[in-house]
Amino acid sequence: IVGRCIGKSQLQEMSDRVRDAYQNFGYLQASVSEPEVAVLDINRDPAPIALTFSVNEGPQFRVAKINLRGITIFQPEEIAAMSPLAVNDVFDTSKVRELLDGVRRAYAARGFKGVSPWPKIEIVGLGVELTIVVDENASRALPR
């Protein structure tokens, strides 16, 4: 990293980003330490640094089951068609966010502007049961 000052809060944010990257590859329980900082060339201004993270990735999880709760205006097949995740896939948190965004947009297209789906994740062995939860009453449908 060159060209910017790094504060303590940015170090924690960088650790969080590394952990998020591991979670995108199914390592839900990954733990990442705050990085060690080493100055690479003290004679340069700003001085380039290297960050070294210690990671305990833990086991890799796969999708065991996908459940839908509170969704009544869409058929399960409609939600499955917009899902980038399927049973037995590596559990990828970025794909969960993509699915949630797709569900939110589908509701908005039907006039439910305030619906915000959220995930419920339950670890069962090395599998993850993902439940997409929607409160359809959170927003009244707007007239078309």
Side-chain angles (χ1 to χ4, degrees), residues 20-82:
D20 184 56
Y22 272 88
Q23 290 177 339
N24 290 342
F25 290 99
Y27 298 100
L28 290 180
Q29 297 174 332
S31 61
V32 179
S33 69
E34 189 171 288
E36 295 178 24
V37 181
V39 177
L40 299 177
D41 185 353
I42 199 160
N43 295 318
R44 287 182 53 197
D45 186 28
I49 62 170
L51 301 176
T52 303
F53 297 89
S54 178
V55 178
N56 178 355
E57 62 192 27
Q60 188 180 48
F61 293 89
R62 295 193 168 272
V63 177
K65 190 174 183 182
I66 300 174
N67 303 304
L68 306 174
R69 187 169 56 191
I71 299 175
T72 62
I73 68 168
F74 294 100
Q75 295 299 313
E77 303 81 39
E78 292 176 282
I79 302 297
M82 67 177 80

Coordinates of all heavy atoms in Angstrom, one line a residue, residues 20-82:
D20 N -14.2 -11.2 4.8 CA -15.3 -11.3 3.8 C -14.9 -12.1 2.6 O -15.6 -12.9 2.0 CB -15.7 -9.9 3.4 CG -16.9 -9.9 2.5 OD1 -18.0 -10.5 2.9 OD2 -16.8 -9.3 1.4
A21 N -13.6 -11.9 2.1 CA -13.1 -12.6 0.9 C -13.1 -14.1 1.2 O -13.6 -14.9 0.4 CB -11.8 -12.1 0.5
Y22 N -12.7 -14.5 2.4 CA -12.7 -16.0 2.7 C -14.2 -16.5 2.8 O -14.5 -17.6 2.4 CB -12.0 -16.2 4.1 CG -10.5 -16.4 3.9 CD1 -9.6 -15.4 3.8 CD2 -10.0 -17.7 3.7 CE1 -8.3 -15.5 3.7 CE2 -8.7 -17.9 3.5 CZ -7.8 -16.8 3.5 OH -6.5 -17.0 3.3
Q23 N -15.1 -15.7 3.4 CA -16.5 -16.1 3.5 C -17.1 -16.2 2.1 O -18.0 -17.0 1.9 CB -17.3 -15.1 4.3 CG -16.9 -15.2 5.8 CD -17.6 -14.2 6.7 OE1 -18.1 -13.2 6.2 NE2 -17.6 -14.5 7.9
N24 N -16.6 -15.5 1.1 CA -17.1 -15.7 -0.3 C -16.7 -17.0 -0.9 O -17.2 -17.4 -1.9 CB -16.6 -14.5 -1.2 CG -17.3 -13.2 -0.9 OD1 -18.3 -13.1 -0.2 ND2 -16.6 -12.1 -1.3
F25 N -15.8 -17.7 -0.2 CA -15.3 -19.0 -0.7 C -15.8 -20.1 0.3 O -15.2 -21.2 0.3 CB -13.8 -19.0 -0.9 CG -13.4 -18.2 -2.1 CD1 -12.9 -17.0 -1.9 CD2 -13.5 -18.8 -3.4 CE1 -12.5 -16.2 -3.0 CE2 -13.1 -18.0 -4.5 CZ -12.6 -16.7 -4.3
G26 N -16.8 -19.8 1.1 CA -17.4 -20.8 1.9 C -16.8 -21.0 3.3 O -17.2 -21.8 4.1
Y27 N -15.8 -20.2 3.7 CA -15.1 -20.2 5.0 C -15.8 -19.3 5.9 O -15.3 -18.2 6.3 CB -13.6 -19.9 4.8 CG -12.9 -20.9 4.0 CD1 -12.6 -20.6 2.6 CD2 -12.6 -22.2 4.4 CE1 -12.0 -21.6 1.8 CE2 -12.0 -23.1 3.6 CZ -11.7 -22.8 2.3 OH -11.0 -23.7 1.5
L28 N -17.0 -19.7 6.3 CA -17.9 -18.8 7.2 C -17.3 -18.5 8.5 O -17.5 -17.4 9.1 CB -19.2 -19.4 7.4 CG -20.2 -19.5 6.2 CD1 -21.5 -20.2 6.6 CD2 -20.4 -18.1 5.6
Q29 N -16.5 -19.4 9.0 CA -16.0 -19.2 10.4 C -14.5 -18.7 10.4 O -13.8 -18.7 11.4 CB -16.1 -20.5 11.2 CG -17.5 -20.9 11.4 CD -17.6 -22.3 12.0 OE1 -16.7 -23.1 11.9 NE2 -18.7 -22.5 12.7
A30 N -14.1 -18.1 9.2 CA -12.7 -17.6 9.1 C -12.5 -16.5 10.1 O -13.3 -15.7 10.3 CB -12.5 -17.1 7.7
S31 N -11.3 -16.6 10.7 CA -10.9 -15.5 11.6 C -9.7 -14.9 11.1 O -8.8 -15.6 10.6 CB -10.8 -16.0 13.1 OG -9.8 -16.9 13.2
V32 N -9.6 -13.6 11.1 CA -8.5 -12.8 10.6 C -7.9 -11.9 11.6 O -8.7 -11.1 12.2 CB -8.9 -12.0 9.3 CG1 -7.7 -11.3 8.7 CG2 -9.5 -13.0 8.3
S33 N -6.6 -11.9 11.9 CA -6.0 -11.0 12.8 C -5.9 -9.6 12.2 O -5.9 -9.4 11.0 CB -4.7 -11.5 13.3 OG -3.8 -11.4 12.1
E34 N -5.7 -8.7 13.1 CA -5.3 -7.3 12.6 C -3.9 -7.5 12.0 O -3.1 -8.2 12.5 CB -5.2 -6.4 13.8 CG -5.0 -4.9 13.4 CD -5.2 -4.0 14.5 OE1 -6.3 -3.8 15.0 OE2 -4.2 -3.4 14.9
P35 N -3.7 -6.9 10.9 CA -2.4 -7.2 10.2 C -1.2 -6.6 10.9 O -1.2 -5.6 11.6 CB -2.6 -6.5 8.8 CG -3.6 -5.4 9.1 CD -4.5 -5.9 10.2
E36 N -0.1 -7.3 10.6 CA 1.2 -6.8 11.0 C 1.6 -5.8 9.9 O 1.4 -6.1 8.7 CB 2.3 -7.9 11.1 CG 2.0 -8.8 12.2 CD 3.0 -10.0 12.3 OE1 4.2 -9.8 11.8 OE2 2.7 -11.0 12.8
V37 N 2.2 -4.7 10.3 CA 2.5 -3.6 9.3 C 4.1 -3.6 9.2 O 4.7 -3.4 10.2 CB 2.0 -2.3 9.7 CG1 2.4 -1.2 8.7 CG2 0.5 -2.3 9.9
A38 N 4.6 -3.6 8.0 CA 6.1 -3.5 7.8 C 6.3 -2.4 6.8 O 5.7 -2.4 5.7 CB 6.6 -4.8 7.3
V39 N 7.2 -1.5 7.1 CA 7.6 -0.4 6.2 C 8.6 -1.0 5.2 O 9.6 -1.6 5.6 CB 8.2 0.8 6.9 CG1 8.6 1.8 5.9 CG2 7.1 1.4 7.9
L40 N 8.3 -0.9 3.9 CA 9.2 -1.5 2.9 C 10.3 -0.6 2.5 O 11.4 -1.1 2.1 CB 8.3 -1.9 1.6 CG 7.2 -2.9 1.9 CD1 6.4 -3.1 0.6 CD2 7.8 -4.2 2.4
D41 N 10.1 0.7 2.4 CA 11.2 1.6 2.0 C 11.0 2.9 2.8 O 10.2 3.8 2.4 CB 11.1 1.8 0.5 CG 12.3 2.7 0.0 OD1 13.1 3.2 0.9 OD2 12.4 2.8 -1.2
I42 N 11.8 3.1 3.9 CA 11.6 4.2 4.7 C 12.1 5.5 4.1 O 11.7 6.6 4.5 CB 12.4 4.0 6.1 CG1 11.8 5.0 7.1 CG2 13.9 4.1 5.9 CD1 12.1 4.6 8.5
N43 N 12.9 5.4 3.0 CA 13.4 6.6 2.3 C 12.4 7.2 1.3 O 12.6 8.3 0.8 CB 14.7 6.2 1.5 CG 15.8 5.8 2.5 OD1 16.0 6.4 3.5 ND2 16.5 4.7 2.2
R44 N 11.3 6.5 1.0 CA 10.3 7.1 0.1 C 9.2 7.8 1.0 O 9.0 7.4 2.1 CB 9.6 5.9 -0.7 CG 10.6 5.4 -1.8 CD 10.0 4.4 -2.6 NE 8.7 4.7 -3.2 CZ 7.9 3.9 -3.8 NH1 8.2 2.6 -3.8 NH2 6.8 4.3 -4.3
D45 N 8.6 8.8 0.4 CA 7.6 9.5 1.0 C 6.4 9.7 0.1 O 6.5 10.3 -0.9 CB 8.1 10.9 1.5 CG 7.0 11.6 2.3 OD1 6.2 10.9 3.0 OD2 7.0 12.9 2.3
P46 N 5.3 9.1 0.3 CA 5.0 8.2 1.5 C 5.7 6.9 1.3 O 5.9 6.4 0.2 CB 3.5 8.1 1.4 CG 3.1 8.3 0.0 CD 4.1 9.2 -0.6
A47 N 6.0 6.3 2.5 CA 6.7 5.0 2.5 C 5.7 3.9 2.2 O 4.6 3.8 2.7 CB 7.3 4.8 3.9
P48 N 6.1 3.0 1.3 CA 5.2 1.8 1.0 C 5.3 0.8 2.2 O 6.3 0.7 2.9 CB 5.8 1.2 -0.2 CG 7.2 1.6 -0.3 CD 7.3 3.0 0.4
I49 N 4.1 0.2 2.4 CA 4.1 -0.8 3.5 C 3.5 -2.1 3.0 O 2.9 -2.2 2.0 CB 3.2 -0.3 4.7 CG1 1.7 -0.1 4.2 CG2 3.8 1.0 5.3 CD1 0.8 0.2 5.4
A50 N 3.8 -3.1 3.8 CA 3.3 -4.5 3.5 C 2.4 -4.8 4.7 O 2.8 -4.6 5.9 CB 4.4 -5.5 3.3
L51 N 1.2 -5.4 4.5 CA 0.4 -5.9 5.5 C 0.4 -7.4 5.5 O 0.2 -8.0 4.4 CB -1.1 -5.4 5.3 CG -1.2 -3.9 5.3 CD1 -2.7 -3.5 5.0 CD2 -0.8 -3.2 6.6
T52 N 0.6 -8.0 6.7 CA 0.5 -9.5 6.7 C -0.6 -9.9 7.7 O -0.6 -9.5 8.9 CB 1.9 -10.0 7.3 OG1 2.9 -9.6 6.4 CG2 1.9 -11.6 7.3
F53 N -1.5 -10.7 7.2 CA -2.7 -11.1 7.9 C -2.5 -12.5 8.4 O -2.0 -13.4 7.6 CB -4.0 -11.0 7.1 CG -4.3 -9.6 6.7 CD1 -3.8 -9.1 5.5 CD2 -5.1 -8.9 7.5 CE1 -4.2 -7.8 5.1 CE2 -5.5 -7.6 7.1 CZ -5.0 -7.1 5.9
S54 N -2.9 -12.9 9.6 CA -2.9 -14.2 10.0 C -4.3 -14.7 9.9 O -5.2 -14.1 10.5 CB -2.4 -14.3 11.5 OG -2.5 -15.7 11.9
V55 N -4.5 -15.8 9.2 CA -5.9 -16.3 8.9 C -6.0 -17.7 9.4 O -5.2 -18.6 9.1 CB -6.2 -16.2 7.4 CG1 -7.6 -16.7 7.1 CG2 -6.1 -14.8 6.9
N56 N -7.1 -18.0 10.1 CA -7.5 -19.3 10.4 C -8.8 -19.5 9.7 O -9.9 -19.0 10.0 CB -7.8 -19.5 11.9 CG -8.2 -20.9 12.3 OD1 -8.5 -21.7 11.4 ND2 -8.4 -21.2 13.6
E57 N -8.8 -20.2 8.5 CA -9.9 -20.3 7.6 C -11.0 -21.2 8.2 O -12.2 -21.0 7.8 CB -9.5 -20.7 6.2 CG -8.9 -22.1 6.2 CD -8.2 -22.4 4.9 OE1 -7.8 -21.5 4.2 OE2 -8.2 -23.6 4.5
G58 N -10.7 -22.2 8.9 CA -11.8 -23.1 9.4 C -12.3 -23.9 8.3 O -11.7 -23.9 7.2
P59 N -13.3 -24.7 8.5 CA -13.9 -25.6 7.4 C -14.6 -24.8 6.3 O -15.1 -23.7 6.5 CB -14.8 -26.5 8.2 CG -15.3 -25.7 9.3 CD -14.1 -24.8 9.7
Q60 N -14.6 -25.4 5.1 CA -15.4 -24.8 4.0 C -16.8 -25.4 4.1 O -17.0 -26.6 4.2 CB -14.7 -25.1 2.7 CG -15.4 -24.4 1.5 CD -14.7 -24.7 0.2 OE1 -14.5 -25.9 -0.1 NE2 -14.4 -23.7 -0.5
F61 N -17.8 -24.5 3.9 CA -19.2 -24.9 4.0 C -19.8 -24.9 2.6 O -19.5 -24.1 1.8 CB -20.0 -24.0 5.0 CG -19.6 -24.1 6.4 CD1 -18.5 -23.3 6.9 CD2 -20.2 -25.0 7.2 CE1 -18.1 -23.4 8.2 CE2 -19.8 -25.1 8.6 CZ -18.8 -24.3 9.0
R62 N -20.8 -25.8 2.5 CA -21.6 -25.9 1.3 C -23.1 -25.6 1.6 O -23.5 -25.8 2.7 CB -21.5 -27.2 0.6 CG -20.1 -27.5 0.2 CD -20.0 -28.7 -0.8 NE -18.7 -28.7 -1.4 CZ -18.4 -28.1 -2.5 NH1 -19.3 -27.4 -3.2 NH2 -17.2 -28.2 -3.1
V63 N -23.8 -25.2 0.6 CA -25.3 -25.0 0.8 C -26.0 -26.4 0.9 O -25.9 -27.2 0.1 CB -25.9 -24.3 -0.5 CG1 -27.4 -24.1 -0.3 CG2 -25.2 -22.9 -0.7
A64 N -26.6 -26.6 2.1 CA -27.3 -27.8 2.3 C -28.8 -27.7 1.9 O -29.4 -28.6 1.4 CB -27.2 -28.2 3.8
K65 N -29.4 -26.5 2.1 CA -30.8 -26.3 1.9 C -31.1 -24.8 1.8 O -30.4 -24.0 2.4 CB -31.6 -26.9 3.0 CG -33.1 -27.0 2.8 CD -33.7 -27.7 4.0 CE -35.2 -27.9 3.7 NZ -35.9 -28.5 4.8
I66 N -32.0 -24.4 0.9 CA -32.4 -23.1 0.8 C -33.9 -23.0 1.1 O -34.7 -23.7 0.4 CB -32.2 -22.5 -0.6 CG1 -30.7 -22.5 -0.9 CG2 -32.7 -21.0 -0.7 CD1 -30.3 -22.1 -2.3
N67 N -34.3 -22.3 2.1 CA -35.7 -22.1 2.5 C -36.2 -20.7 2.2 O -35.4 -19.8 2.2 CB -35.8 -22.4 4.0 CG -35.3 -23.7 4.4 OD1 -35.7 -24.8 3.9 ND2 -34.4 -23.7 5.3
L68 N -37.5 -20.6 2.0 CA -38.1 -19.3 1.9 C -39.1 -19.1 2.9 O -40.0 -20.0 3.2 CB -38.8 -19.2 0.5 CG -37.8 -19.5 -0.7 CD1 -38.6 -19.5 -2.0 CD2 -36.7 -18.5 -0.8
R69 N -39.1 -18.0 3.6 CA -40.1 -17.7 4.7 C -40.7 -16.3 4.5 O -40.0 -15.4 4.3 CB -39.5 -17.8 6.1 CG -40.5 -17.8 7.2 CD -40.0 -18.2 8.5 NE -38.8 -17.3 8.8 CZ -38.0 -17.5 9.9 NH1 -38.2 -18.6 10.6 NH2 -37.0 -16.7 10.1
G70 N -42.1 -16.3 4.5 CA -42.8 -15.1 4.4 C -43.0 -14.6 3.0 O -43.6 -13.6 2.7
I71 N -42.6 -15.4 2.0 CA -42.7 -15.0 0.6 C -44.0 -15.7 0.1 O -44.1 -16.9 0.0 CB -41.5 -15.5 -0.2 CG1 -40.2 -14.7 0.3 CG2 -41.7 -15.2 -1.7 CD1 -38.9 -15.2 -0.4
T72 N -45.0 -14.9 -0.3 CA -46.3 -15.4 -0.7 C -46.6 -15.0 -2.2 O -47.4 -15.6 -2.8 CB -47.4 -15.0 0.2 OG1 -47.6 -13.6 0.2 CG2 -47.2 -15.6 1.6
I73 N -46.0 -13.9 -2.6 CA -46.5 -13.4 -3.9 C -45.6 -13.9 -5.1 O -45.9 -13.7 -6.2 CB -46.5 -11.8 -4.0 CG1 -45.1 -11.2 -3.9 CG2 -47.4 -11.3 -3.0 CD1 -45.1 -9.7 -4.3
F74 N -44.6 -14.7 -4.7 CA -43.7 -15.4 -5.7 C -43.8 -16.9 -5.5 O -43.8 -17.3 -4.3 CB -42.3 -14.9 -5.6 CG -42.1 -13.5 -6.0 CD1 -42.0 -12.5 -5.0 CD2 -42.1 -13.1 -7.3 CE1 -41.8 -11.2 -5.4 CE2 -41.9 -11.7 -7.7 CZ -41.8 -10.8 -6.7
Q75 N -43.7 -17.6 -6.5 CA -43.6 -19.1 -6.4 C -42.1 -19.4 -6.1 O -41.2 -18.7 -6.5 CB -44.0 -19.7 -7.7 CG -45.5 -19.6 -8.1 CD -46.4 -20.1 -7.0 OE1 -46.2 -21.3 -6.5 NE2 -47.3 -19.4 -6.6
P76 N -41.9 -20.5 -5.4 CA -40.5 -20.9 -5.1 C -39.6 -21.0 -6.3 O -38.4 -20.7 -6.3 CB -40.6 -22.3 -4.4 CG -42.0 -22.2 -3.8 CD -42.8 -21.4 -4.8
E77 N -40.2 -21.4 -7.5 CA -39.4 -21.6 -8.7 C -39.0 -20.2 -9.2 O -37.9 -20.1 -9.8 CB -40.3 -22.2 -9.8 CG -40.8 -23.6 -9.4 CD -42.1 -23.5 -8.6 OE1 -43.0 -22.7 -8.8 OE2 -42.2 -24.4 -7.7
E78 N -39.8 -19.2 -9.0 CA -39.4 -17.8 -9.4 C -38.1 -17.4 -8.6 O -37.2 -16.7 -9.2 CB -40.5 -16.8 -9.2 CG -41.7 -17.1 -10.1 CD -42.8 -16.1 -9.8 OE1 -43.6 -16.4 -8.8 OE2 -43.0 -15.1 -10.5
I79 N -38.1 -17.6 -7.3 CA -37.0 -17.3 -6.5 C -35.8 -18.1 -6.9 O -34.7 -17.6 -7.0 CB -37.3 -17.4 -5.0 CG1 -38.5 -16.6 -4.6 CG2 -36.1 -17.1 -4.1 CD1 -38.4 -15.1 -4.7
A80 N -36.0 -19.4 -7.1 CA -34.9 -20.3 -7.5 C -34.3 -19.8 -8.8 O -33.0 -19.9 -9.0 CB -35.4 -21.7 -7.6
A81 N -35.1 -19.3 -9.7 CA -34.6 -18.9 -11.0 C -33.6 -17.6 -10.9 O -32.8 -17.5 -11.7 CB -35.7 -18.5 -11.9
M82 N -33.9 -16.8 -9.8 CA -33.0 -15.7 -9.7 C -31.8 -15.9 -8.7 O -31.0 -15.1 -8.5 CB -33.8 -14.5 -9.2 CG -34.4 -14.6 -7.8 SD -35.3 -13.1 -7.3 CE -36.9 -13.3 -8.1

